[in-house]
Amino acid sequence: MKNICYLFLFIIIIVSFTSCEDKAPTDYVPSYFVEALLVVDEPIKDIRVLISQPLRDSFNYNNSLIRNAKVQVIEGDNILDLTISPSDTNGYYYPDTNYKVKVNTLYKLKVTLDNGNIVTGETTTPDRFDWITRPDYYIQYPKDTVNLPSPFSIQWELLNSVLYYIVSVRCLDTLNYGKYLDPPTDEKNRRISRPWNLRETYYRDFSYWVIVPSSKVPVVWTVFKWYGLHEVSVYAPDFNFLRWMVQIMMGDLNPLLSSVKGAYGYFGSASVIRDTSVILKNQP
């Protein structure tokens, strides 16, 4: 998700300048940004509080991450004080990892910045769900991905409260390939050639995200950038997370679609199911 932060921090910078065309760059006023997702049955982690950067300076993600905010997640009368991660790129987390996000529960977010500004939001977590048809562990990548329909599909339980699902496919190991075969070998992994997309940055992001309106989808070959071990995740999002992801995929920031008050961004929740698959090379 860090790449999502890169994109929207840049958009915030552009919006800030274009909305004040008569002002010089030295009059730049920074904007604040919050990205917070609670995942059912998982610890509270990676909640990010950021500040945009002026165009006159080179962009550095670490300079955007605010580390001195007071961040609290509130569940009923229970106030959970979060701590900033020691990592340079991760956000705030709740130190008691035995606490897991609860299902069908109202959570509130309160972020107090060092200048006294307060950012708030709330979300109600969705139901759990499970697989009906899991992805096969070994999936053969075909030589013909245009004319050959995929024989593989995945399916999960339908939730009445969810209109759209978010599917993520992420390569977990871009180096090793043979270690996941049976029997294992020393063969190394490689990229899947895309003649229409030769940009180096395309392969730096190991994940692919898509929004689907149903609970069953075929395997689409173009979502894979590498062969080898992949994680397939399906999110059942609340409305806050869903509308934020729609903005990301459209590449258009609309402040009216933010679900936090006092900043850009969102405070949302989701339940998720995950599994792993090995994408087999279509040729040696």
mmCIF file with all atom_site columns, all heavy atoms in Angstrom, residues 253-273:
data_model
loop_
_atom_site.group_PDB
_atom_site.id
_atom_site.type_symbol
_atom_site.label_atom_id
_atom_site.label_alt_id
_atom_site.label_comp_id
_atom_site.label_asym_id
_atom_site.label_entity_id
_atom_site.label_seq_id
_atom_site.pdbx_PDB_ins_code
_atom_site.Cartn_x
_atom_site.Cartn_y
_atom_site.Cartn_z
_atom_site.occupancy
_atom_site.B_iso_or_equiv
_atom_site.pdbx_formal_charge
_atom_site.auth_seq_id
_atom_site.auth_comp_id
_atom_site.auth_asym_id
_atom_site.auth_atom_id
_atom_site.pdbx_PDB_model_num
ATOM 1   N N   . LEU A 1 253 ? -8.166  12.481  -7.112 1.00 0.00 ? 253 LEU A N   1
ATOM 2   C CA  . LEU A 1 253 ? -8.424  12.746  -5.697 1.00 0.00 ? 253 LEU A CA  1
ATOM 3   C C   . LEU A 1 253 ? -9.584  13.715  -5.538 1.00 0.00 ? 253 LEU A C   1
ATOM 4   O O   . LEU A 1 253 ? -9.551  14.820  -6.060 1.00 0.00 ? 253 LEU A O   1
ATOM 5   C CB  . LEU A 1 253 ? -7.172  13.333  -5.034 1.00 0.00 ? 253 LEU A CB  1
ATOM 6   C CG  . LEU A 1 253 ? -7.327  13.723  -3.567 1.00 0.00 ? 253 LEU A CG  1
ATOM 7   C CD1 . LEU A 1 253 ? -7.594  12.498  -2.714 1.00 0.00 ? 253 LEU A CD1 1
ATOM 8   C CD2 . LEU A 1 253 ? -6.083  14.459  -3.075 1.00 0.00 ? 253 LEU A CD2 1
ATOM 9   N N   . ASN A 1 254 ? -10.618 13.273  -4.817 1.00 0.00 ? 254 ASN A N   1
ATOM 10  C CA  . ASN A 1 254 ? -11.770 14.113  -4.533 1.00 0.00 ? 254 ASN A CA  1
ATOM 11  C C   . ASN A 1 254 ? -11.892 14.259  -3.023 1.00 0.00 ? 254 ASN A C   1
ATOM 12  O O   . ASN A 1 254 ? -12.218 13.290  -2.329 1.00 0.00 ? 254 ASN A O   1
ATOM 13  C CB  . ASN A 1 254 ? -13.048 13.489  -5.109 1.00 0.00 ? 254 ASN A CB  1
ATOM 14  C CG  . ASN A 1 254 ? -14.262 14.396  -4.941 1.00 0.00 ? 254 ASN A CG  1
ATOM 15  O OD1 . ASN A 1 254 ? -14.255 15.335  -4.152 1.00 0.00 ? 254 ASN A OD1 1
ATOM 16  N ND2 . ASN A 1 254 ? -15.306 14.103  -5.681 1.00 0.00 ? 254 ASN A ND2 1
ATOM 17  N N   . PRO A 1 255 ? -11.613 15.451  -2.467 1.00 0.00 ? 255 PRO A N   1
ATOM 18  C CA  . PRO A 1 255 ? -11.676 15.623  -1.011 1.00 0.00 ? 255 PRO A CA  1
ATOM 19  C C   . PRO A 1 255 ? -13.031 15.254  -0.419 1.00 0.00 ? 255 PRO A C   1
ATOM 20  O O   . PRO A 1 255 ? -13.111 14.863  0.742  1.00 0.00 ? 255 PRO A O   1
ATOM 21  C CB  . PRO A 1 255 ? -11.379 17.121  -0.827 1.00 0.00 ? 255 PRO A CB  1
ATOM 22  C CG  . PRO A 1 255 ? -10.635 17.514  -2.057 1.00 0.00 ? 255 PRO A CG  1
ATOM 23  C CD  . PRO A 1 255 ? -11.191 16.667  -3.166 1.00 0.00 ? 255 PRO A CD  1
ATOM 24  N N   . LEU A 1 256 ? -14.100 15.365  -1.221 1.00 0.00 ? 256 LEU A N   1
ATOM 25  C CA  . LEU A 1 256 ? -15.429 15.036  -0.721 1.00 0.00 ? 256 LEU A CA  1
ATOM 26  C C   . LEU A 1 256 ? -15.586 13.545  -0.451 1.00 0.00 ? 256 LEU A C   1
ATOM 27  O O   . LEU A 1 256 ? -16.507 13.129  0.264  1.00 0.00 ? 256 LEU A O   1
ATOM 28  C CB  . LEU A 1 256 ? -16.495 15.500  -1.719 1.00 0.00 ? 256 LEU A CB  1
ATOM 29  C CG  . LEU A 1 256 ? -16.573 17.012  -1.961 1.00 0.00 ? 256 LEU A CG  1
ATOM 30  C CD1 . LEU A 1 256 ? -17.631 17.317  -3.016 1.00 0.00 ? 256 LEU A CD1 1
ATOM 31  C CD2 . LEU A 1 256 ? -16.868 17.754  -0.671 1.00 0.00 ? 256 LEU A CD2 1
ATOM 32  N N   . LEU A 1 257 ? -14.709 12.728  -1.011 1.00 0.00 ? 257 LEU A N   1
ATOM 33  C CA  . LEU A 1 257 ? -14.782 11.280  -0.817 1.00 0.00 ? 257 LEU A CA  1
ATOM 34  C C   . LEU A 1 257 ? -13.866 10.789  0.295  1.00 0.00 ? 257 LEU A C   1
ATOM 35  O O   . LEU A 1 257 ? -13.760 9.593   0.529  1.00 0.00 ? 257 LEU A O   1
ATOM 36  C CB  . LEU A 1 257 ? -14.449 10.554  -2.129 1.00 0.00 ? 257 LEU A CB  1
ATOM 37  C CG  . LEU A 1 257 ? -15.431 10.798  -3.277 1.00 0.00 ? 257 LEU A CG  1
ATOM 38  C CD1 . LEU A 1 257 ? -15.020 10.026  -4.515 1.00 0.00 ? 257 LEU A CD1 1
ATOM 39  C CD2 . LEU A 1 257 ? -16.855 10.441  -2.876 1.00 0.00 ? 257 LEU A CD2 1
ATOM 40  N N   . SER A 1 258 ? -13.187 11.706  0.971  1.00 0.00 ? 258 SER A N   1
ATOM 41  C CA  . SER A 1 258 ? -12.406 11.320  2.139  1.00 0.00 ? 258 SER A CA  1
ATOM 42  C C   . SER A 1 258 ? -13.363 10.960  3.271  1.00 0.00 ? 258 SER A C   1
ATOM 43  O O   . SER A 1 258 ? -14.442 11.543  3.407  1.00 0.00 ? 258 SER A O   1
ATOM 44  C CB  . SER A 1 258 ? -11.481 12.460  2.587  1.00 0.00 ? 258 SER A CB  1
ATOM 45  O OG  . SER A 1 258 ? -10.442 12.667  1.655  1.00 0.00 ? 258 SER A OG  1
ATOM 46  N N   . SER A 1 259 ? -12.976 9.992   4.084  1.00 0.00 ? 259 SER A N   1
ATOM 47  C CA  . SER A 1 259 ? -13.843 9.571   5.193  1.00 0.00 ? 259 SER A CA  1
ATOM 48  C C   . SER A 1 259 ? -13.278 9.983   6.544  1.00 0.00 ? 259 SER A C   1
ATOM 49  O O   . SER A 1 259 ? -13.720 9.482   7.580  1.00 0.00 ? 259 SER A O   1
ATOM 50  C CB  . SER A 1 259 ? -14.043 8.050   5.154  1.00 0.00 ? 259 SER A CB  1
ATOM 51  O OG  . SER A 1 259 ? -12.802 7.379   5.215  1.00 0.00 ? 259 SER A OG  1
ATOM 52  N N   . VAL A 1 260 ? -12.293 10.895  6.539  1.00 0.00 ? 260 VAL A N   1
ATOM 53  C CA  . VAL A 1 260 ? -11.803 11.475  7.786  1.00 0.00 ? 260 VAL A CA  1
ATOM 54  C C   . VAL A 1 260 ? -12.048 12.973  7.753  1.00 0.00 ? 260 VAL A C   1
ATOM 55  O O   . VAL A 1 260 ? -12.083 13.588  6.683  1.00 0.00 ? 260 VAL A O   1
ATOM 56  C CB  . VAL A 1 260 ? -10.300 11.188  8.005  1.00 0.00 ? 260 VAL A CB  1
ATOM 57  C CG1 . VAL A 1 260 ? -10.068 9.702   8.257  1.00 0.00 ? 260 VAL A CG1 1
ATOM 58  C CG2 . VAL A 1 260 ? -9.459  11.670  6.826  1.00 0.00 ? 260 VAL A CG2 1
ATOM 59  N N   . LYS A 1 261 ? -12.209 13.556  8.912  1.00 0.00 ? 261 LYS A N   1
ATOM 60  C CA  . LYS A 1 261 ? -12.395 14.996  9.035  1.00 0.00 ? 261 LYS A CA  1
ATOM 61  C C   . LYS A 1 261 ? -11.104 15.618  9.540  1.00 0.00 ? 261 LYS A C   1
ATOM 62  O O   . LYS A 1 261 ? -10.502 15.126  10.489 1.00 0.00 ? 261 LYS A O   1
ATOM 63  C CB  . LYS A 1 261 ? -13.545 15.301  10.005 1.00 0.00 ? 261 LYS A CB  1
ATOM 64  C CG  . LYS A 1 261 ? -14.901 14.780  9.533  1.00 0.00 ? 261 LYS A CG  1
ATOM 65  C CD  . LYS A 1 261 ? -15.994 15.100  10.544 1.00 0.00 ? 261 LYS A CD  1
ATOM 66  C CE  . LYS A 1 261 ? -17.352 14.585  10.072 1.00 0.00 ? 261 LYS A CE  1
ATOM 67  N NZ  . LYS A 1 261 ? -18.425 14.863  11.064 1.00 0.00 ? 261 LYS A NZ  1
ATOM 68  N N   . GLY A 1 262 ? -10.675 16.678  8.883  1.00 0.00 ? 262 GLY A N   1
ATOM 69  C CA  . GLY A 1 262 ? -9.465  17.366  9.292  1.00 0.00 ? 262 GLY A CA  1
ATOM 70  C C   . GLY A 1 262 ? -8.255  17.037  8.450  1.00 0.00 ? 262 GLY A C   1
ATOM 71  O O   . GLY A 1 262 ? -7.163  17.554  8.705  1.00 0.00 ? 262 GLY A O   1
ATOM 72  N N   . ALA A 1 263 ? -8.429  16.167  7.435  1.00 0.00 ? 263 ALA A N   1
ATOM 73  C CA  . ALA A 1 263 ? -7.309  15.780  6.572  1.00 0.00 ? 263 ALA A CA  1
ATOM 74  C C   . ALA A 1 263 ? -7.875  15.090  5.339  1.00 0.00 ? 263 ALA A C   1
ATOM 75  O O   . ALA A 1 263 ? -9.072  14.803  5.248  1.00 0.00 ? 263 ALA A O   1
ATOM 76  C CB  . ALA A 1 263 ? -6.339  14.861  7.304  1.00 0.00 ? 263 ALA A CB  1
ATOM 77  N N   . TYR A 1 264 ? -7.004  14.809  4.376  1.00 0.00 ? 264 TYR A N   1
ATOM 78  C CA  . TYR A 1 264 ? -7.340  13.916  3.285  1.00 0.00 ? 264 TYR A CA  1
ATOM 79  C C   . TYR A 1 264 ? -7.181  12.474  3.776  1.00 0.00 ? 264 TYR A C   1
ATOM 80  O O   . TYR A 1 264 ? -6.459  12.214  4.739  1.00 0.00 ? 264 TYR A O   1
ATOM 81  C CB  . TYR A 1 264 ? -6.402  14.124  2.091  1.00 0.00 ? 264 TYR A CB  1
ATOM 82  C CG  . TYR A 1 264 ? -6.514  15.456  1.406  1.00 0.00 ? 264 TYR A CG  1
ATOM 83  C CD1 . TYR A 1 264 ? -5.619  16.479  1.688  1.00 0.00 ? 264 TYR A CD1 1
ATOM 84  C CD2 . TYR A 1 264 ? -7.509  15.692  0.460  1.00 0.00 ? 264 TYR A CD2 1
ATOM 85  C CE1 . TYR A 1 264 ? -5.699  17.707  1.052  1.00 0.00 ? 264 TYR A CE1 1
ATOM 86  C CE2 . TYR A 1 264 ? -7.602  16.913  -0.183 1.00 0.00 ? 264 TYR A CE2 1
ATOM 87  C CZ  . TYR A 1 264 ? -6.696  17.921  0.123  1.00 0.00 ? 264 TYR A CZ  1
ATOM 88  O OH  . TYR A 1 264 ? -6.789  19.128  -0.517 1.00 0.00 ? 264 TYR A OH  1
ATOM 89  N N   . GLY A 1 265 ? -7.812  11.543  3.074  1.00 0.00 ? 265 GLY A N   1
ATOM 90  C CA  . GLY A 1 265 ? -7.562  10.145  3.383  1.00 0.00 ? 265 GLY A CA  1
ATOM 91  C C   . GLY A 1 265 ? -8.795  9.395   3.829  1.00 0.00 ? 265 GLY A C   1
ATOM 92  O O   . GLY A 1 265 ? -9.929  9.797   3.566  1.00 0.00 ? 265 GLY A O   1
ATOM 93  N N   . TYR A 1 266 ? -8.563  8.293   4.527  1.00 0.00 ? 266 TYR A N   1
ATOM 94  C CA  . TYR A 1 266 ? -9.670  7.432   4.926  1.00 0.00 ? 266 TYR A CA  1
ATOM 95  C C   . TYR A 1 266 ? -9.345  6.685   6.210  1.00 0.00 ? 266 TYR A C   1
ATOM 96  O O   . TYR A 1 266 ? -8.185  6.484   6.576  1.00 0.00 ? 266 TYR A O   1
ATOM 97  C CB  . TYR A 1 266 ? -9.984  6.421   3.816  1.00 0.00 ? 266 TYR A CB  1
ATOM 98  C CG  . TYR A 1 266 ? -9.041  5.240   3.780  1.00 0.00 ? 266 TYR A CG  1
ATOM 99  C CD1 . TYR A 1 266 ? -9.386  4.032   4.387  1.00 0.00 ? 266 TYR A CD1 1
ATOM 100 C CD2 . TYR A 1 266 ? -7.799  5.323   3.158  1.00 0.00 ? 266 TYR A CD2 1
ATOM 101 C CE1 . TYR A 1 266 ? -8.527  2.953   4.364  1.00 0.00 ? 266 TYR A CE1 1
ATOM 102 C CE2 . TYR A 1 266 ? -6.934  4.254   3.129  1.00 0.00 ? 266 TYR A CE2 1
ATOM 103 C CZ  . TYR A 1 266 ? -7.305  3.061   3.734  1.00 0.00 ? 266 TYR A CZ  1
ATOM 104 O OH  . TYR A 1 266 ? -6.440  1.993   3.731  1.00 0.00 ? 266 TYR A OH  1
ATOM 105 N N   . PHE A 1 267 ? -10.399 6.308   6.917  1.00 0.00 ? 267 PHE A N   1
ATOM 106 C CA  . PHE A 1 267 ? -10.326 5.363   8.024  1.00 0.00 ? 267 PHE A CA  1
ATOM 107 C C   . PHE A 1 267 ? -11.372 4.309   7.724  1.00 0.00 ? 267 PHE A C   1
ATOM 108 O O   . PHE A 1 267 ? -12.570 4.563   7.804  1.00 0.00 ? 267 PHE A O   1
ATOM 109 C CB  . PHE A 1 267 ? -10.606 6.055   9.362  1.00 0.00 ? 267 PHE A CB  1
ATOM 110 C CG  . PHE A 1 267 ? -10.638 5.104   10.540 1.00 0.00 ? 267 PHE A CG  1
ATOM 111 C CD1 . PHE A 1 267 ? -9.590  4.223   10.763 1.00 0.00 ? 267 PHE A CD1 1
ATOM 112 C CD2 . PHE A 1 267 ? -11.710 5.103   11.407 1.00 0.00 ? 267 PHE A CD2 1
ATOM 113 C CE1 . PHE A 1 267 ? -9.608  3.357   11.845 1.00 0.00 ? 267 PHE A CE1 1
ATOM 114 C CE2 . PHE A 1 267 ? -11.741 4.246   12.505 1.00 0.00 ? 267 PHE A CE2 1
ATOM 115 C CZ  . PHE A 1 267 ? -10.694 3.376   12.722 1.00 0.00 ? 267 PHE A CZ  1
ATOM 116 N N   . GLY A 1 268 ? -10.924 3.127   7.300  1.00 0.00 ? 268 GLY A N   1
ATOM 117 C CA  . GLY A 1 268 ? -11.840 2.086   6.864  1.00 0.00 ? 268 GLY A CA  1
ATOM 118 C C   . GLY A 1 268 ? -11.517 0.744   7.478  1.00 0.00 ? 268 GLY A C   1
ATOM 119 O O   . GLY A 1 268 ? -10.587 0.607   8.288  1.00 0.00 ? 268 GLY A O   1
ATOM 120 N N   . SER A 1 269 ? -12.285 -0.250  7.070  1.00 0.00 ? 269 SER A N   1
ATOM 121 C CA  . SER A 1 269 ? -12.083 -1.599  7.595  1.00 0.00 ? 269 SER A CA  1
ATOM 122 C C   . SER A 1 269 ? -12.457 -2.616  6.535  1.00 0.00 ? 269 SER A C   1
ATOM 123 O O   . SER A 1 269 ? -13.133 -2.309  5.546  1.00 0.00 ? 269 SER A O   1
ATOM 124 C CB  . SER A 1 269 ? -12.912 -1.817  8.865  1.00 0.00 ? 269 SER A CB  1
ATOM 125 O OG  . SER A 1 269 ? -14.301 -1.637  8.593  1.00 0.00 ? 269 SER A OG  1
ATOM 126 N N   . ALA A 1 270 ? -12.018 -3.842  6.746  1.00 0.00 ? 270 ALA A N   1
ATOM 127 C CA  . ALA A 1 270 ? -12.305 -4.924  5.810  1.00 0.00 ? 270 ALA A CA  1
ATOM 128 C C   . ALA A 1 270 ? -12.070 -6.251  6.506  1.00 0.00 ? 270 ALA A C   1
ATOM 129 O O   . ALA A 1 270 ? -11.290 -6.343  7.462  1.00 0.00 ? 270 ALA A O   1
ATOM 130 C CB  . ALA A 1 270 ? -11.422 -4.823  4.569  1.00 0.00 ? 270 ALA A CB  1
ATOM 131 N N   . SER A 1 271 ? -12.755 -7.274  6.038  1.00 0.00 ? 271 SER A N   1
ATOM 132 C CA  . SER A 1 271 ? -12.369 -8.640  6.363  1.00 0.00 ? 271 SER A CA  1
ATOM 133 C C   . SER A 1 271 ? -11.680 -9.208  5.133  1.00 0.00 ? 271 SER A C   1
ATOM 134 O O   . SER A 1 271 ? -11.934 -8.756  4.007  1.00 0.00 ? 271 SER A O   1
ATOM 135 C CB  . SER A 1 271 ? -13.579 -9.491  6.766  1.00 0.00 ? 271 SER A CB  1
ATOM 136 O OG  . SER A 1 271 ? -14.606 -9.410  5.799  1.00 0.00 ? 271 SER A OG  1
ATOM 137 N N   . VAL A 1 272 ? -10.794 -10.174 5.317  1.00 0.00 ? 272 VAL A N   1
ATOM 138 C CA  . VAL A 1 272 ? -9.966  -10.625 4.204  1.00 0.00 ? 272 VAL A CA  1
ATOM 139 C C   . VAL A 1 272 ? -9.719  -12.123 4.288  1.00 0.00 ? 272 VAL A C   1
ATOM 140 O O   . VAL A 1 272 ? -9.655  -12.696 5.387  1.00 0.00 ? 272 VAL A O   1
ATOM 141 C CB  . VAL A 1 272 ? -8.621  -9.852  4.191  1.00 0.00 ? 272 VAL A CB  1
ATOM 142 C CG1 . VAL A 1 272 ? -7.823  -10.114 5.453  1.00 0.00 ? 272 VAL A CG1 1
ATOM 143 C CG2 . VAL A 1 272 ? -7.807  -10.184 2.965  1.00 0.00 ? 272 VAL A CG2 1
ATOM 144 N N   . ILE A 1 273 ? -9.622  -12.754 3.131  1.00 0.00 ? 273 ILE A N   1
ATOM 145 C CA  . ILE A 1 273 ? -9.187  -14.146 3.025  1.00 0.00 ? 273 ILE A CA  1
ATOM 146 C C   . ILE A 1 273 ? -7.969  -14.177 2.126  1.00 0.00 ? 273 ILE A C   1
ATOM 147 O O   . ILE A 1 273 ? -7.861  -13.403 1.175  1.00 0.00 ? 273 ILE A O   1
ATOM 148 C CB  . ILE A 1 273 ? -10.298 -15.075 2.489  1.00 0.00 ? 273 ILE A CB  1
ATOM 149 C CG1 . ILE A 1 273 ? -10.882 -14.531 1.179  1.00 0.00 ? 273 ILE A CG1 1
ATOM 150 C CG2 . ILE A 1 273 ? -11.385 -15.268 3.532  1.00 0.00 ? 273 ILE A CG2 1
ATOM 151 C CD1 . ILE A 1 273 ? -11.918 -15.429 0.549  1.00 0.00 ? 273 ILE A CD1 1
#
